Amino acid sequence: MKFCPFVHRLKLVMHAVGVDDHETINCNTVHKPEWLFEKNPRGKVPVIERDNEIIYESDITSRYINSCYGSSKQLVTQDQLQRAKEEVLLGDLDKAISGFFVYGRAKDDEGRSNGTKLMEESFKSLEKFLCSNKQPYIGGSHPGISDFMHWPFVQRIAVRHRDLLSQNTTVNGYYERMLTNESVKACKHPDSLEAQFWVGYFKGAPVYDIFAEKGAAL
Amino acid sequence: MAYMTHNKHYKTGDAPPPPPAKGVLRVYGMKFCPFVHRLKLVMHSVGADHETINCNTKQKPEWFFEKSPRGTVPVIEQDGELIYESDITARYINACYGKDKQLVTQDPLCLAKEELLLGDLQKATSGFFGYAMAKDDEGRKKGMENMEESFKALQKFLLEANQPYIGGEQAGFNDFMFWPFLQKIGAFHRDFVRKNSSVNGYYERMLENESVKACKHPDKLERQFFGEFLNGNPNVDYDVQ
């Protein structure tokens, strides 16, 4: 689905390891085609299909693509302790995901406040990690798979909650560095398009087939 | 070395133990926790010597949250470094100590399929705990249904892959990720396991694995501990032997 942050994760990794040669079939995720469940019993995107083999889940498919195509790219941190710390961080960064959706779906100020609090907590975790590592990216001196796993949610938070992002200088700096990454640029929708989609989504009526004048890799 | 027989459990109000000596790998755990059990199986399998500090998970010692902000076990501590979560710590141990063992499937597609299976097998966990904590027959029925669905997923995987273990010809990393939950289901619902011949065969094969044997509690002890734990009894005897 063109605006799905979980599909976005996979697309970032695919671009980063140079898998240009793939086709995309997008699905309406509110009115799912019945056949999607034959591809993925869980009914979710992304799904990879090739020669009748099917796998799904954003993290599993991303790791698969990286294993098959990314050996020269070193997207996965090689130092084992550092890699483990990145994985622990990604668990803390889940709050960015829940915060974004809690805020968007909130019916009142209390709900929005809860969403904001979750997003803020995720920023604190990211700030702590980047400052103690003294590295520009989660993956080290250049973006790695963990950066691409988190980026789709930072991108969306930036569209709908730019002030919240600006308030944390470390995370804001990270956001602006990531915007210069070629894979991020290749997969990015214009903020106005992203905003348009999410307004519709959170009203319960997403419009999927909107597009910008210049197409993106999604 | 002993893997699962450390009976003392630090609890609220207890002073912390001294830090581990330089270079020593320490695991913070709980004797009957299936998530700690995952890590212990991998540690045994790759021969990672370590010391163990067990914690009462209903009355957690205050200092434990400095080790694990999430307050969950297992946690690994070594030379001031701390990491946690059963899968993350188990992968770390395997990466550091298990190069000769090839516990993790090398083929990327097969590995991806194992990881998908583990997602389906989470129903074994929710089913087991759902059943045990259910207040009525309907709750127990739902628990059974979840366990049954997980068994169907395992059966389908093993039959399609045509191999004795999730990891292939030998028990691998993902067998050890699942085993603690199957062991508990076997201790409490043995007849239920028998009903699925694929899963029963898998269960009996795993019981012969050296790491499974080294880390296994007698079924009676599992039942004794969890009988109280899952009833919400705050005075659970963690040091039951």
Side-chain angles (χ1 to χ4, degrees):
Chain A
M1 191 272 271
K2 186 169 165 176
F3 298 93
C4 175
F6 297 96
V7 175
H8 190 179
R9 283 175 157 179
L10 174 60
K11 292 281 189 165
L12 285 163
V13 172
M14 287 180 118
H15 184 278
V17 301
V19 183
D20 293 328
D21 201 12
H22 68 276
E23 54 180 47
T24 300
I25 302 283
N26 278 334
C27 298
N28 182 316
T29 46
V30 170
H31 302 289
K32 294 172 187 174
E34 296 86 344
W35 49 258
L36 177 64
F37 292 86
E38 290 162 39
K39 305 294 179 192
N40 178 1
R42 298 176 198 175
K44 297 190 292 187
V45 289
V47 182
I48 282 179
E49 181 175 15
R50 179 161 62 180
D51 294 330
N52 288 324
E53 296 284 6
I54 293 177
I55 56 173
Y56 38 88
E57 297 298 334
S58 60
D59 53 346
I60 293 176
T61 49
S62 296
R63 277 195 297 270
Y64 168 77
I65 289 294
N66 181 59
S67 294
C68 292
Y69 298 93
S71 49
S72 58
K73 289 280 173 175
Q74 294 271 330
L75 281 190
V76 173
T77 297
Q78 295 300 295
D79 178 82
Q80 297 306 330
L81 180 63
Q82 193 53 34
R83 180 183 169 171
K85 288 179 176 181
E86 283 182 32
E87 291 174 354
V88 170
L89 173 70
L90 279 188
D92 291 330
L93 295 180
D94 275 353
K95 283 181 181 171
I97 307 175
S98 46
F100 176 78
F101 285 99
V102 162
Y103 188 105
R105 289 176 181 144
K107 305 285 181 215
D108 53 32
D109 285 342
E110 194 189 336
R112 281 183 282 276
S113 169
N114 287 339
T116 299
K117 192 160 165 260
L118 285 166
M119 287 187 275
E120 262 170 344
E121 282 176 32
S122 81
F123 288 170
K124 287 203 180 89
S125 297
L126 180 56
E127 175 185 72
K128 186 173 179 226
F129 182 93
L130 292 173
C131 291
S132 56
N133 268 7
K134 296 189 176 55
Q135 296 271 31
Y137 301 99
I138 300 173
S141 54
H142 50 266
I145 200 169
S146 299
D147 295 273
F148 294 135
M149 290 303 103
H150 185 48
W151 174 253
F153 303 98
V154 176
Q155 180 178 302
R156 282 151 182 77
I157 289 173
V159 166
R160 287 174 58 87
H161 309 282
R162 190 70 181 87
D163 290 346
L164 195 66
L165 195 67
S166 305
Q167 280 166 27
N168 187 311
T169 49
T170 306
V171 176
N172 196 59
Y174 171 78
Y175 169 72
E176 290 185 346
R177 279 192 295 281
M178 285 292 284
L179 282 178
T180 65
N181 176 269
E182 289 307 314
S183 301
V184 166
K185 288 195 283 192
C187 297
K188 194 177 182 305
H189 297 303
D191 286 355
S192 56
L193 196 72
E194 193 84 70
Q196 191 184 344
F197 173 80
W198 288 103
V199 164
Y201 179 89
F202 285 127
K203 282 190 177 146
V207 180
Y208 293 90
D209 301 327
I210 50 176
F211 53 91
E213 285 181 14
K214 289 180 188 170
L218 286 181
Chain B
M1 57 170 290
Y3 278 80
M4 299 284 275
T5 51
H6 305 83
N7 295 318
K8 176 181 164 58
H9 286 73
Y10 286 78
K11 63 180 192 294
T12 311
D14 285 345
K22 190 167 148 51
V24 169
L25 191 63
R26 173 182 287 178
V27 173
Y28 294 94
M30 190 276 272
K31 184 170 161 174
F32 296 94
C33 175
F35 296 95
V36 176
H37 190 180
R38 284 175 153 178
L39 174 60
K40 293 282 186 163
L41 285 163
V42 171
M43 287 181 120
H44 182 276
S45 184
V46 303
D49 282 350
H50 60 281
E51 61 180 40
T52 300
I53 297 288
N54 277 335
C55 297
N56 182 317
T57 48
K58 293 232 188 229
Q59 298 173 62
K60 292 171 189 172
E62 296 87 340
W63 51 259
F64 183 64
F65 291 87
E66 292 160 37
K67 307 293 180 192
S68 166
R70 297 176 199 173
T72 52
V73 287
V75 181
I76 281 179
E77 182 174 16
Q78 187 174 33
D79 295 325
E81 299 282 5
L82 288 158
I83 55 172
Y84 38 89
E85 297 299 334
S86 59
D87 53 344
I88 294 174
T89 50
R91 267 196 299 272
Y92 169 75
I93 289 295
N94 179 60
C96 292
Y97 298 87
K99 289 194 173 58
D100 303 330
K101 282 276 174 176
Q102 294 271 329
L103 278 191
V104 173
T105 297
Q106 294 300 294
D107 178 82
L109 184 62
C110 290
L111 178 62
K113 288 179 176 181
E114 285 181 31
E115 290 172 349
L116 285 174
L117 173 68
L118 278 193
D120 291 331
L121 294 180
Q122 277 176 17
K123 285 188 177 165
T125 310
S126 51
F128 173 77
F129 286 102
Y131 181 100
M133 295 192 286
K135 306 287 179 210
D136 52 30
D137 284 342
E138 195 188 329
R140 279 182 284 278
K141 184 169 171 248
K142 189 89 204 346
M144 276 295 174
E145 279 169 8
N146 277 335
M147 286 188 274
E148 205 154 17
E149 281 179 42
S150 79
F151 284 3
K152 286 201 178 94
L154 179 57
Q155 175 181 0
K156 182 170 187 250
F157 180 93
L158 291 173
L159 292 176
E160 279 176 8
N162 198 21
Q163 61 201 30
Y165 299 96
I166 298 172
E169 292 305 313
Q170 295 170 20
F173 187 87
N174 289 318
D175 294 276
F176 295 137
M177 290 302 103
F178 179 55
W179 175 253
F181 304 98
L182 187 57
Q183 179 176 304
K184 284 186 176 17
I185 294 175
F188 282 79
H189 308 284
R190 187 69 183 91
D191 287 344
F192 179 67
V193 177
R194 277 198 191 92
K195 279 189 193 160
N196 185 310
S197 56
S198 293
V199 174
N200 193 57
Y202 172 77
Y203 175 76
E204 290 184 346
R205 280 193 292 281
M206 285 294 283
L207 281 177
E208 293 169 17
N209 177 275
E210 289 308 314
S211 300
V212 166
K213 287 196 281 195
C215 297
K216 194 177 183 304
H217 297 304
D219 288 351
K220 191 174 160 204
L221 195 67
E222 289 267 21
R223 288 194 294 268
Q224 193 180 341
F225 175 80
F226 273 100
E228 292 185 14
F229 183 89
L230 294 168
N231 275 336
N233 183 346
N235 297 316
V236 180
D237 180 9
Y238 278 78
D239 304 334
V240 65
Q241 299 173 45

